[in-house]
Amino acid sequence: MRYPRSWRSVQFLRRSFSTSTSRYEIRHLDALPQRLLPKYRETRGELLSLQWPAPPRNVLLVRKDCAPTVTDSLIEFANHITSTYPSIAVILEPKTAAEIHDSLSYPVYAAPSEETPVAYHDKVDVTVTLGGDGTILHASSLFATCPNVPPVLSFSMGSLGFLSEWKFSEFKRAFREVYMSGAGGGDRTAVLEKKPISTGEGMAPDTPESEPGPTGWSSVRGQSMGTTRGAPILMRNRLKVGLFTADGQETTPVRGKTDHGEGVYVMNELLIHRGKEPHLAIVDVYLGGRFLTEAVVDGIIISTPTGSTAYSLSSGGSIVHPLVPSTLLTPICARSLSFRPLVLPWSTPITLRLSEKNRGRELEVSLDGVNLGQGMAVGMEVRVWNEDMRHGKNEWQGGVPSVMRRSMGGEAHEAWVGGLNGLLKFNYPFGE
C-alpha cells in the first residue's frame, strides 16, 4: 500500500533523530482497537441516555477548515483529553493530521485519503466537531454508509451553530460527561491494553515511551457520574438515498466511492436541481409507490426534521422539531402556486423520477450540500427511505446520536427553542 508523501516524510524525520520518541508521528488507523458500540437507555424525558460498556478509546476530531482559531482550539482539546484520559487515542482526517501532527507531543492516527470515508466505521468511538453546522454535516458524511454512527459532541465555532449544543469554553466538562457516561460509582475497570502497532511504510514502530499508563474509568480523577446520569442524547433521523438508472440499477456515488445496492445516509437533505439548465425541471413524484404529481420546478428538497431549518426553510418549508418522525418534501420555485410543501410520515418511501418531458439534459443531485458529481438523466430516479432506529426497548440503531447539554427535565425542546429565538431570529419584527 502506498501512502502520501507527507506520511513518508514524517517517518523519515522521526528516524533522523537519535532518541526513540513517539512525537511527530502519524500512525495508521488500523493500529487502533475496534470501536465500542454504546447502548442508549430510554429515560422519562424525551432524550436518551448514553451508556458505554467500557471507557471510549478512539476519538475522531473534525474541525472547520481555513480557521486558524479553530485549529488552535483543536490542539488545545487534543492535549487535554490525551493528558487527562490516558487510554485516549486521537484520530484526525489526513489533511488535519499532516498540518498539526508536529505540534503535538504524542502520535495521532489517520487513514490515507483513498481509504476514507469507510476507514472510520470500525474504529471511531466518539466524534468531536469544532465548527458550525457544516462541520457537523461533514462529520456525519464520514459515516454515510454506516448504520451505527458514533456519538457526536459538537462545539459551536462557526457562522451559525444551530445544531451545535456546546460552547468551546465548556469542553472539559462536556467531554468528561461523554467519557464517564455509564461508569458506576465504584467502577474499577481493568486496564485496557492497546493493540500492538505493526511496522510498515508510513507507520511508526511502537516504542517504550508510547506505552499507556493506567487506563479506564478508575484512572480518571473526580467523582463518577453514576449509571443513572448518562450523557443526554438526541437521536437525529437520517434519510437513506439511492440513485437508480432507468433500468433499475443503483448508481449512487459516495464521496468518490460507489457502493451498489446499499444507498447512502444523509442527515439534512437530498436536493435535485436544474442547475445551469435554462428550463424548469419536470419531475414525477411518487409516495409509497403511488403517483402523486408531475412537478414543474427549479428543484425539489427531501429533508429530515433536522434539515427542516436549512435549505428547506429558505424555500418555504415548515420548521419541524427533530423528534417528530417525519419527512419533508419541499418544492423550489414551483410553476404552480398550488404545489405546497408537504410533511409526510417518516415511513413513507418517496421516489422522484425525471420525466420524459424534461427539456434539459440532466439534474444536479446533492446530499447534505455536497454535489454528487453525477447528474440525474431522463428516466433515472431517486428513491428515499427513512431509517428505522428503534428496534425494541433500549435497542437503538441508526440515526446521528447528538450529545446534548444536561437539563433538569431532560427535554430536547429547550436547546431547540433557544436556537430558533437566538440564532434563526424566529418571528423577529422588522427593524429590530
Side-chain angles (χ1 to χ4, degrees):
M1 182 179 297
R2 187 174 180 84
Y3 296 98
R5 180 179 299 176
S6 60
W7 288 45
R8 298 196 301 272
S9 63
V10 169
Q11 176 73 356
F12 173 79
L13 288 174
R14 197 199 66 80
R15 287 177 173 171
S16 66
F17 293 99
S18 58
T19 58
S20 179
T21 174
S22 61
R23 300 182 66 186
Y24 314 131
E25 292 178 4
I26 302 177
R27 295 177 174 174
H28 197 281
L29 204 61
D30 287 346
L32 293 175
Q34 291 294 101
R35 63 175 289 195
L36 298 171
L37 293 178
K39 293 287 187 179
Y40 299 99
R41 185 172 57 85
E42 298 172 25
T43 65
R44 288 177 294 179
E46 298 170 330
L47 301 177
L48 303 176
S49 178
L50 174 63
Q51 302 288 312
W52 292 109
R57 297 163 290 184
N58 309 330
V59 180
L60 170 64
L61 305 185
V62 181
R63 61 163 186 173
K64 177 182 179 181
D65 282 335
C66 304
T69 57
V70 174
T71 301
D72 293 341
S73 297
L74 183 144
I75 294 174
E76 181 182 359
F77 184 89
N79 287 335
H80 168 73
I81 63 174
T82 53
S83 62
T84 306
Y85 308 95
S87 61
I88 289 292
V90 173
I91 303 172
L92 300 174
E93 294 184 270
K95 179 181 177 181
T96 305
E99 181 178 333
I100 72 168
H101 75 276
D102 57 356
S103 301
L104 305 175
S105 60
Y106 42 86
V108 296
Y109 296 82
S113 300
E114 64 269 17
E115 296 183 17
T116 58
V118 296
Y120 304 108
H121 295 182
D122 296 327
K123 298 297 182 179
V124 177
D125 294 329
V126 181
T127 300
V128 177
T129 69
L130 295 90
D133 292 352
T135 307
I136 299 176
L137 292 177
H138 171 66
S140 175
S141 75
L142 298 177
F143 300 90
T145 59
C146 181
N148 291 297
V149 179
V152 180
L153 175 62
S154 302
F155 296 99
S156 180
M157 303 185 71
S159 55
L160 182 59
F162 182 66
L163 303 181
S164 302
E165 177 71 4
W166 299 86
K167 298 178 181 178
F168 184 72
S169 59
E170 305 171 297
F171 75 88
K172 294 181 180 180
R173 176 171 70 91
F175 186 79
R176 186 178 186 279
E177 287 193 10
V178 173
Y179 183 88
M180 299 297 294
S181 190
D187 202 305
R188 283 294 177 264
T189 304
V191 172
L192 301 175
E193 295 183 358
K194 286 191 176 181
K195 179 181 177 181
I197 299 174
S198 59
T199 302
E201 184 182 3
M203 293 182 288
D206 211 5
T207 61
E209 289 83 0
S210 65
E211 290 297 327
T215 60
W217 284 314
S218 61
S219 67
V220 181
R221 296 179 181 178
Q223 185 178 3
S224 171
M225 294 176 61
T227 56
T228 61
R229 298 188 63 236
I233 295 293
L234 171 62
M235 196 69 75
R236 298 183 182 273
N237 284 78
R238 296 184 297 176
L239 295 175
K240 197 167 190 179
V241 179
L243 182 63
F244 292 81
T245 61
D247 59 358
Q249 298 297 315
E250 185 180 11
T251 173
T252 312
V254 187
R255 310 294 187 267
K257 179 180 181 294
T258 300
D259 290 79
H260 293 284
E262 296 296 332
V264 296
Y265 293 105
V266 296
M267 180 177 174
N268 255 18
E269 78 260 319
L270 154 76
L271 165 68
I272 62 172
H273 197 275
R274 67 185 177 95
K276 62 183 180 181
E277 293 293 333
H279 305 290
L280 292 175
I282 303 178
V283 181
D284 295 331
V285 181
Y286 297 82
L287 300 182
R290 183 174 180 180
F291 178 73
L292 171 69
T293 189
E294 179 185 81
V296 184
V297 292
D298 273 354
I300 294 178
I301 303 167
I302 309 294
S303 86
T304 64
T306 295
S308 70
T309 51
Y311 196 0
S312 176
L313 175 62
S314 299
S315 301
S318 299
I319 298 176
V320 180
H321 192 283
L323 286 180
V324 177
S326 57
T327 306
L328 289 76
L329 189 155
T330 307
I332 303 173
C333 299
R335 184 180 65 180
S336 172
L337 297 180
S338 62
F339 187 8
R340 312 308 302 164
L342 300 175
V343 179
L344 305 166
W346 68 272
S347 58
T348 303
I350 302 172
T351 300
L352 305 177
R353 180 180 301 158
L354 190 57
S355 172
E356 298 287 344
K357 303 176 185 178
N358 191 72
R359 296 174 65 186
R361 288 182 298 174
E362 61 182 23
L363 303 185
E364 294 182 358
V365 182
S366 298
L367 303 180
D368 282 347
V370 178
N371 193 307
L372 286 183
Q374 174 181 335
M376 181 178 174
V378 170
M380 294 183 66
E381 62 185 31
V382 175
R383 302 173 190 173
V384 181
W385 312 265
N386 210 322
E387 63 177 337
D388 186 9
M389 298 188 300
R390 182 171 178 174
H391 302 274
K393 184 175 177 59
N394 294 325
E395 291 295 330
W396 294 79
Q397 176 178 310
V400 180
S402 304
V403 180
M404 308 295 286
R405 181 182 282 101
R406 185 175 303 281
S407 61
M408 293 299 294
E411 304 298 335
H413 61 255
E414 295 184 16
W416 187 76
V417 170
L420 285 183
N421 291 331
L423 294 172
L424 297 186
K425 309 297 181 185
F426 181 73
N427 199 33
Y428 267 48
F430 288 106
E432 294 188 7

